[in-house]
């Protein structure tokens, strides 16, 4: 059995944990999920292992060939209108709420993360143009992106500028008519490929005469093909892919080194205002980080399914109190691993989808929702991608020796997942962001609001209320030590993880309540609902205790890190 | 030209079917249901005829419990223009289904009916042929290629010896085989549009046909399990077993 989009759980969460949306009834939700699931299962999943083995090729003419079948699969997704699911209907998007975009994105990434990065990046550009673009730019670019005829990339990183973008050296000079871009960018996902007619690069560069540091950076639209005299986009711009990276995972996704302006300078158009490049990137960054957290959840689900299938088939040793011939799923420790994979993945899915609804409100100008969104983003990115490491690794573990052999595909999930805590802001950045911007900047207000809400929702769950109290007192500790930033930076990771597990527990508790109500009405999906309750109970007993470990580290573990001299490390 | 495509809701082809404990039928609770794959091919063929300008309208029909409307919706999402839903609580035998569809085909002035050669639940392979007989229309079953020009359908049929090419005059019934086409995936815009398309409900009483069931299901059971093999010691023993136990030589 290959990957199957987890439609039942998506549907359960959308219907039970999110407030309804006036554009969506349950049958529409189901029809959309069902069809997207079919595409993901039938088109993308079969290409996942193949792409890992047959990587993109950079040709002598600087064009990149993606693995066989990718181009066809991309046009199938694009033709079906699936790229612009949640984008503005005035520019040929589908105009569905973000929750549907998020739900469907899980299936793409679960089926084939390497492949789906191309549409993910393109969706990022759709967001950028929707927020910042002029009317003219929107009319030109958005329909092309929504239909997948053009795709997009983000060009931030340079050799010396990774996390610190203030040191960017790529230059933009105005020649009286156009901006000319010159410089080299690295780690450009789908920077060159053969799946679309044109590739639009968003490039961070320093305009001539601009100040040093982040205030001097602007964003430029740099298309691979420019408009020719005949109105067609066939005129090659002065940019090329000079290399693609050999990577540990997501191998089917071409990660390009892009060279701009080797000859006359690549023609670029400034997006938005000069000097606001970093600010724009941060607007988009929220969505990008959300998407990376979503990838963590999606690949965890895929790893879980594979491990479950193997555990149901592999016979090795007779499990205690079971009859001979029982597969390894009967062993207590294998059951434990599988349950933890399931319950963590479901908690992540709940977090992602519940947050997508908060983001819908935030985009509509609800300032309260914006605060909540800002608070949740580092948890979504940091916590989910850390869990993805554990879950994909457990997926390998359940396969035993076969997990270490590439043939099973379990190892690929683990390698693919490894990029997630790194890109779009490492998890160290997430943890610092969570501590300093999201918690201390508003004196812990947002954190306290969440704790109050959780307390209300979980007053009948002693395990969670205990952890809420513990988190509360930890928050006090953090607020009391707010002046010692070095100290707090040493334990911000544990604070993030502790809070993440708590949010997960809260949502699993809510899911359990709903599942119980449904079960009392003689439902058709009894097995699913009972599994949901098991997942929530397992979370309570096996996952929640992790919170106290993390929070104990927050309270007691900072000084040993802070005071240790580098030479003792 | 109006095409009617009957679509049946069946247990999804990925699901391993289980017999109900009381042996009265197949377990349908907790089971994923989908459109019969052969019917998907039928919808696809009808849509292609419409896209070529040969057909003007494609109507999907299904008969059964309320949920079969989801299956009609699937056909609408693929691109069919409208649907017809006939509500029936019980499982119907092919002849009753054929009678209902035939009477609706007459009412709707249908020129061509395309349906799956069989449904993957009971594999009856009967409804198409029965409709053809009831309406006295020509039939082309197991179609792997269909070309239509001026009321004539040239159909290649999958038969035991290979392919048989026949011509039939419309109105007619065509039943689809696997090689006819590869059904499309519904696009997102079409899924959303399908919500607004009409599904007309027809009451079975209004059709004034005799729906008395003539078949009775006594018992449903699983095929007997394959028994474990044994190792024989000599060729002579094998020969003996084949001759005296299996009685095959």
């Amino acid at each position: 059995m290959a990957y199957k989009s987890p439609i039942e759980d998506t549907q359960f969460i959308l219907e039970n944990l999110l407030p309804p949306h006036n554009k969506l009834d349950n049958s529409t939700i189901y029809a959309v999920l069902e069809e997207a699931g079919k595409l993901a299962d039938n088109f993308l999943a079969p290409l996942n292992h193949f792409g890992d083995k047959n990587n993109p090729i950079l040709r002598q003419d600087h064009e990149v060939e993606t693995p066989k079948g990718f181009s066809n699969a991309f046009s199938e997704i694009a033709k079906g209108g699936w790229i612009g699911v949640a984008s503005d209907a005035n520019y040929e998007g589908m105009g569905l709420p973000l929750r549907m975009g998020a739900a469907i994105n899980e299936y793409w990434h679960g089926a084939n993360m390497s492949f789906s990065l191309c549409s993910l990046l393109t969706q990022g550009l759709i967001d950028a143009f929707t927020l910042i673009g002029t009317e003219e730019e929107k009319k030109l670019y958005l329909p092309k992106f929504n239909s997948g005829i053009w795709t997009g990339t983000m060009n931030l990183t340079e050799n010396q500028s990774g996390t610190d973008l203030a040191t960017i050296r790529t230059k933009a000079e105005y020649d009286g008519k156009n901006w000319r871009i010159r410089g080299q960018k690295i780690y450009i996902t789908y920077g060159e490929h053969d799946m679309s007619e044109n590739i639009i690069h968003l490039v961070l560069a320093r305009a001539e005469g601009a100040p040093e540091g982040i205030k001097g950076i602007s964003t430029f639209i740099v298309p691979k093909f420019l408009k020719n005299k005949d109105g067609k986009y066939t005129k090659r711009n002065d940019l090329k892919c000079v290399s693609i990276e050999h990577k540990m995972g997501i191998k089917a996704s071409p990660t390009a080194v892009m060279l701009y302006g080797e000859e006359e300078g690549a023609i670029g158009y400034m997006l938005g205002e000069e000097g606001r490049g970093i600010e724009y990137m941060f607007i988009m960054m929220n969505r990008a980080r959300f998407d990376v957290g979503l990838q963590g959840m999606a690949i965890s689900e895929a790893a879980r399914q594979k491990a479950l299938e193997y555990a149901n088939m592999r016979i090795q040793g007779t499990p205690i109190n079971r009859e001979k011939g029982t597969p390894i799923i009967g062993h207590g420790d294998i059951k434990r691993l599988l349950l933890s994979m399931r319950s963590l993945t479901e908690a992540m899915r709940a977090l992602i989808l519940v947050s997508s609804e908060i983001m819908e409100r935030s985009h509509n100008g609800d300032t309260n929702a914006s605060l909540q969104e800002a608070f949740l983003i580092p948890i979504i990115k940091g916590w989910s991608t850390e869990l993805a490491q554990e879950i994909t690794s457990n997926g390998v573990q359940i396969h035993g020796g076969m997990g270490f052999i590439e043939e099973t595909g379990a190892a690929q999930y683990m390698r693919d997942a490894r990029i997630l805590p790194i890109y779009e802001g490492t998890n160290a950045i997430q943890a610092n962001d969570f501590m300093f911007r999201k918690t201390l900047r508003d004196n812990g207000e947002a954190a306290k609001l969440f704790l109050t809400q959780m307390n209300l929702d979980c007053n009948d769950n002693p395990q969670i209320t205990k952890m809420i109290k513990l988190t509360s007192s930890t928050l006090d500790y953090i607020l009391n030590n707010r002046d010692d930033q070095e100290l707090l930076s040493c334990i911000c990771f544990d604070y993030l993880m502790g809070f993440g597990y708590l949010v997960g527990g809260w949502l699993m508790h809510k899911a359990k309540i709903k599942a119980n109500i449904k079960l009392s009405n003689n439902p058709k999906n009894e097995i699913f609902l009972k599994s949901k309750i098991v997942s929530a109970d397992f979370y309570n007993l096996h996952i929640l205790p992790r919170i106290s470990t993390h929070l104990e580290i927050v309270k007691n573990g900072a000084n040993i890190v802070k005071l240790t001299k580098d030479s003792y490390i | 030209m109006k095409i009617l495509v009957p679509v049946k809701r069946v247990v999804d082809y990925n699901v391993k079917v289980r017999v109900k404990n009381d042996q009265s039928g197949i377990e349908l609770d907790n089971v994923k249901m989908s459109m019969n794959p052969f019917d998907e091919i039928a919808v696809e063929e009808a849509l292609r005829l419409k896209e070529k300008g040969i057909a003007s309208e494609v109507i999907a029909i299904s008969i059964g419990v309320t949920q079969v409307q989801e299956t009609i919706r699937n056909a609408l999402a693929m691109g069919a223009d409208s649907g017809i839903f006939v509500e029936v609580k019980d499982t119907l035998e092919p002849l009753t289904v054929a009678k209902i569809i035939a009477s609706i085909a007459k009412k709707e002035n249908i020129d061509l009916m395309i349906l799956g050669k069989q449904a993957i639940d009971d594999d009856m392979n009967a409804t198409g042929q029965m409709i053809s007989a009831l309406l006295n229309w020509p039939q082309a079953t197991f179609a792997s290629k269909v070309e239509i020009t001026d009321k004539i359908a040239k159909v290649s049929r999958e038969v035991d010896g290979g392919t048989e090419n026949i011509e039939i005059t419309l109105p007619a019934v065509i039943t689809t085989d696997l090689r006819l086409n590869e059904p499309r995936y519904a696009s997102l815009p079409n899924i959303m549009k399908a919500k607004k398309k009409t599904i007309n409900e027809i009451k079975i009483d209004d059709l004034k046909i005799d729906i008395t069931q003539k078949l009775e299901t006594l018992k449903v059971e699983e095929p007997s399990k394959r028994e474990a093999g044994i190792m024989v010691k000599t060729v002579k023993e094998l020969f003996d077993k084949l001759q005296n136990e299996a009685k095959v030589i």
Side-chain angles (χ1 to χ4, degrees):
Chain A
M1 195 189 82
Y3 174 79
K4 281 210 81 64
S5 300
I7 293 167
E8 201 168 19
D9 196 40
T10 312
Q11 213 186 348
F12 175 86
I13 295 168
L14 290 177
E15 286 176 22
N16 293 290
L17 297 188
L18 275 66
H21 189 282
N22 57 13
K23 263 193 187 164
L24 291 170
D25 52 65
N26 289 349
S27 70
T28 309
I29 290 178
Y30 183 71
V32 172
L33 296 180
E34 176 83 3
E35 203 63 20
K38 267 197 230 166
L39 277 170
D41 302 355
N42 299 344
F43 266 93
L44 307 190
L47 290 172
N48 191 35
H49 196 57
F50 177 82
D52 186 54
K53 290 243 172 266
N54 301 275
N55 302 161
I57 297 161
L58 174 65
R59 294 197 318 227
Q60 297 249 310
D61 62 358
H62 301 281
E63 298 287 325
V64 169
E65 289 175 17
T66 52
K68 202 167 159 248
F70 269 42
S71 192
N72 181 35
F74 188 79
S75 73
E76 196 68 37
I77 301 281
K79 217 169 55 188
W82 298 100
I83 292 174
V85 173
S87 60
D88 194 337
N90 293 321
Y91 305 95
E92 298 175 32
M94 283 307 300
L96 288 178
L98 185 64
R99 66 185 79 180
M100 293 308 290
I104 291 164
N105 271 349
E106 175 189 351
Y107 304 165
W108 304 152
H109 290 286
N112 195 332
M113 203 166 92
S114 291
F115 172 88
S116 305
L117 279 162
C118 188
S119 48
L120 187 79
L121 263 301
T122 305
Q123 285 170 346
L125 264 73
I126 291 175
D127 283 352
F129 281 94
T130 307
L131 287 167
I132 307 154
T134 61
E135 188 53 33
E136 206 181 334
E137 284 162 348
K138 287 183 192 177
K139 276 189 182 145
L140 170 60
Y141 293 102
L142 292 179
K144 301 271 191 196
F145 288 146
N146 283 325
S147 58
I149 296 172
W150 292 1
T151 58
T153 75
M154 304 261 277
N155 292 238
L156 282 70
T157 309
E158 296 173 13
N159 285 325
Q160 76 294 342
S161 308
T163 294
D164 184 6
L165 292 169
T167 56
I168 277 177
R169 285 187 198 143
T170 297
K171 283 195 176 64
E173 283 170 343
Y174 200 68
D175 68 0
K177 222 176 125 201
N178 289 306
W179 287 98
R180 296 280 179 174
I181 315 294
R182 288 189 179 82
Q184 181 175 289
K185 291 285 180 180
I186 61 169
Y187 301 161
I188 310 310
T189 303
Y190 280 91
E192 190 58 78
H193 64 84
D194 54 5
M195 309 197 309
S196 64
E197 287 175 13
N198 199 357
I199 302 171
I200 309 300
H201 304 281
L202 274 195
V203 181
L204 284 189
R206 203 177 293 282
E208 54 180 328
E212 287 292 301
I214 55 166
K215 294 234 152 53
I217 295 170
S218 308
T219 306
F220 295 89
I221 308 162
V222 189
K224 175 179 174 185
F225 288 108
L226 301 161
K227 199 173 181 174
N228 227 329
K229 281 179 194 130
D230 60 2
K232 290 184 178 141
Y233 285 80
T234 47
K235 194 175 151 199
R236 196 70 166 76
N237 203 354
D238 179 16
L239 59 92
K240 65 184 178 193
C241 167
V242 289
S243 162
I244 50 177
E245 308 288 356
H246 296 275
K247 307 190 294 296
M248 173 183 181
I250 53 167
K251 290 183 177 202
S253 153
T255 303
V257 176
M258 298 298 298
L259 187 58
Y260 293 91
E262 199 184 28
E263 314 279 337
E264 68 278 9
I267 290 179
Y269 314 99
M270 191 183 279
L271 176 67
E273 292 170 27
E274 188 172 338
R276 295 181 68 184
I278 297 287
E279 183 192 332
Y280 295 151
M281 284 299 151
F282 269 98
I283 299 174
M284 290 181 342
M285 202 57 98
N286 259 1
R287 173 67 194 268
R289 288 176 175 172
F290 172 83
D291 286 335
V292 175
L294 181 150
Q295 289 183 312
M297 175 266 286
I299 202 161
S300 297
E301 170 67 30
R304 180 189 85 78
Q305 289 185 15
K306 193 170 266 308
L308 180 63
E309 184 195 7
Y310 188 78
N312 268 310
M313 181 192 83
R314 174 76 169 162
I315 298 168
Q316 201 68 198
T318 306
I320 300 167
N321 293 340
R322 296 292 191 97
E323 62 190 66
K324 196 163 184 272
T326 304
I328 59 170
I329 194 171
H331 290 294
D333 192 56
I334 302 285
K335 266 167 94 172
R336 174 189 66 83
L337 282 173
L338 286 166
L339 276 168
S340 87
M341 292 169 92
R342 179 175 182 128
S343 113
L344 286 170
T345 305
E346 288 183 0
M348 282 190 269
R349 185 174 296 115
L351 169 62
I352 303 270
L353 293 176
V354 165
S355 303
S356 71
E357 187 274 330
I358 293 173
M359 288 161 81
E360 285 167 14
R361 281 185 280 134
S362 158
H363 295 178
N364 289 334
D366 177 340
T367 47
N368 203 9
S370 296
L371 276 176
Q372 293 178 336
E373 173 187 354
F375 187 78
L376 288 172
I377 290 291
I379 297 181
I380 293 169
K381 202 280 178 180
W383 182 67
S384 301
T385 62
E386 289 297 325
L387 293 187
Q389 308 310 303
E390 175 188 334
I391 293 169
T392 54
S393 172
N394 282 342
V396 170
Q397 189 68 22
I398 287 171
H399 283 77
M402 279 310 287
F404 203 67
I405 309 294
E406 289 288 354
E407 187 188 308
T408 55
Q412 188 193 341
Y413 290 132
M414 190 173 166
R415 288 186 287 101
D416 283 353
R418 192 59 191 86
I419 186 62
L420 301 176
I422 300 171
Y423 65 16
E424 299 298 347
T426 62
N427 283 2
I429 294 282
Q430 305 307 318
N432 278 280
D433 177 52
F434 189 58
M435 175 67 82
F436 296 112
R437 287 208 193 88
K438 307 299 168 62
T439 300
L440 289 178
R441 195 176 276 180
D442 69 354
N443 281 318
E445 278 311 309
K448 283 177 189 162
L449 280 175
F450 270 100
L451 291 172
T452 312
Q453 186 61 47
M454 291 186 213
N455 220 358
L456 281 173
D457 291 340
C458 304
N459 53 19
D460 52 344
N461 183 328
Q463 284 106 332
I464 297 189
T465 41
K466 191 175 125 196
M467 293 303 163
I468 294 171
K469 267 198 201 114
L470 196 61
T471 312
S472 250
S473 68
T474 310
L475 184 61
D476 291 339
Y477 169 85
I478 289 170
L479 292 170
N480 290 336
N481 287 286
R482 61 175 311 154
D483 295 330
D484 193 346
Q485 293 210 352
E486 190 186 352
L487 180 97
L488 295 179
S489 74
C490 298
I491 42 75
C492 55
F493 178 81
D494 286 283
Y495 170 54
L496 170 92
M497 290 304 286
F499 220 110
Y501 283 120
L502 186 63
V503 172
W506 164 50
L507 297 173
M508 288 306 278
H509 178 74
K510 287 175 79 163
K512 181 184 166 173
I513 294 173
K514 295 284 185 177
N516 264 325
I517 297 171
K518 296 212 152 217
L519 263 178
S520 58
N521 293 322
N522 197 21
K524 282 216 147 187
N525 55 346
E526 195 186 319
I527 297 174
F528 170 80
L529 294 170
K530 284 187 172 161
S531 317
K532 192 54 140 183
I533 291 167
V534 168
S535 273
D537 288 344
F538 182 91
Y539 197 103
N540 256 345
L541 299 168
H542 281 243
I543 308 294
L544 276 183
R546 295 185 186 186
I547 297 172
S548 37
T549 309
H550 283 294
L551 298 186
E552 201 180 309
I553 295 172
V554 172
K555 282 183 182 167
N556 305 323
N559 266 322
I560 180 68
V561 182
K562 180 188 161 189
L563 301 175
T564 300
K565 285 184 183 155
D566 296 356
S567 57
Y568 290 156
I569 297 171
Chain B
M1 184 172 86
K2 265 167 116 178
I3 305 181
L4 185 67
V5 185
V7 292
K8 185 174 182 185
R9 180 178 150 94
V10 298
V11 174
D12 188 83
Y13 70 96
N14 281 311
V15 173
K16 193 172 177 296
V17 291
R18 283 178 299 119
V19 173
K20 275 188 188 167
N21 284 339
D22 63 2
Q23 294 195 313
S24 63
I26 299 295
E27 193 61 73
L28 294 182
D29 283 353
N30 260 324
V31 168
K32 183 172 152 55
M33 308 288 283
S34 306
M35 190 192 295
N36 176 33
F38 291 108
D39 298 345
E40 279 185 350
I41 296 173
V43 176
E44 177 65 35
E45 197 61 23
L47 294 177
R48 287 185 190 185
L49 289 171
K50 191 181 167 194
E51 282 159 2
K52 282 184 201 150
I54 295 168
S56 56
E57 193 182 350
V58 177
I59 307 170
I61 177 173
S62 196
I63 305 163
V65 292
T66 318
Q67 290 89 332
V68 304
Q69 289 177 89
E70 284 171 22
T71 308
I72 299 174
R73 242 357 125 194
N74 285 348
L76 298 180
M78 284 175 77
D81 298 291
S82 63
I84 297 173
F85 165 55
V86 185
E87 187 167 16
V88 176
K89 295 270 183 294
D90 307 315
T91 311
L92 299 182
E93 62 195 49
L95 183 58
T96 321
V97 173
K99 280 183 188 165
I100 296 172
I101 293 174
S103 91
I104 288 170
K106 267 191 263 173
K107 256 177 62 174
E108 296 283 332
N109 294 318
I110 296 299
D111 303 289
L112 175 63
M113 181 127 39
I114 309 180
L115 67 163
K117 68 169 181 178
Q118 66 197 66
I120 60 164
D121 49 4
D122 52 20
D123 280 340
M124 286 280 209
N125 192 342
T127 308
Q129 291 88 332
M130 287 175 174
I131 294 172
S132 144
L134 288 168
L135 290 171
N136 201 21
W137 289 2
Q139 58 173 304
T141 50
F142 319 134
S144 64
K145 199 175 164 201
V146 174
E147 272 175 56
I148 294 178
T149 34
D150 301 333
K151 296 272 165 193
I152 302 284
K154 285 186 189 170
V155 180
S156 301
R157 303 180 61 232
E158 306 248 339
V159 292
D160 286 347
T163 314
E164 181 190 38
N165 297 312
I166 61 169
E167 282 187 18
I168 51 173
T169 313
L170 303 189
V173 176
I174 295 175
T175 76
T176 61
D177 215 321
L178 278 180
R179 280 200 294 175
L180 181 57
N181 60 47
E182 205 176 310
R184 70 193 63 192
Y185 289 86
S187 72
L188 188 51
N190 279 345
I191 295 172
M192 302 310 285
K193 270 187 227 152
K195 268 174 61 177
K196 299 192 182 92
K197 291 179 181 170
T198 36
I199 297 180
N200 297 310
E201 191 175 342
I202 294 184
K203 298 269 171 248
I204 192 139
D205 297 339
D206 297 345
L207 295 173
K208 300 198 169 42
I209 49 175
D210 175 19
I211 56 163
T212 328
Q213 302 270 86
K214 297 189 170 62
L215 298 177
E216 187 191 345
T217 304
L218 301 178
K219 195 165 85 172
V220 176
E221 41 183 17
E222 291 208 11
S224 56
K225 284 216 172 69
R226 205 178 131 174
E227 285 174 19
I230 54 158
M231 293 290 283
V232 292
K233 289 206 174 62
T234 61
V235 175
K236 192 163 172 277
E237 190 189 343
L238 174 67
F239 187 78
D240 178 64
K241 283 197 183 296
L242 289 174
Q243 195 163 43
N244 300 319
E245 275 181 38
K247 295 194 168 69
V248 289
I249 48 175

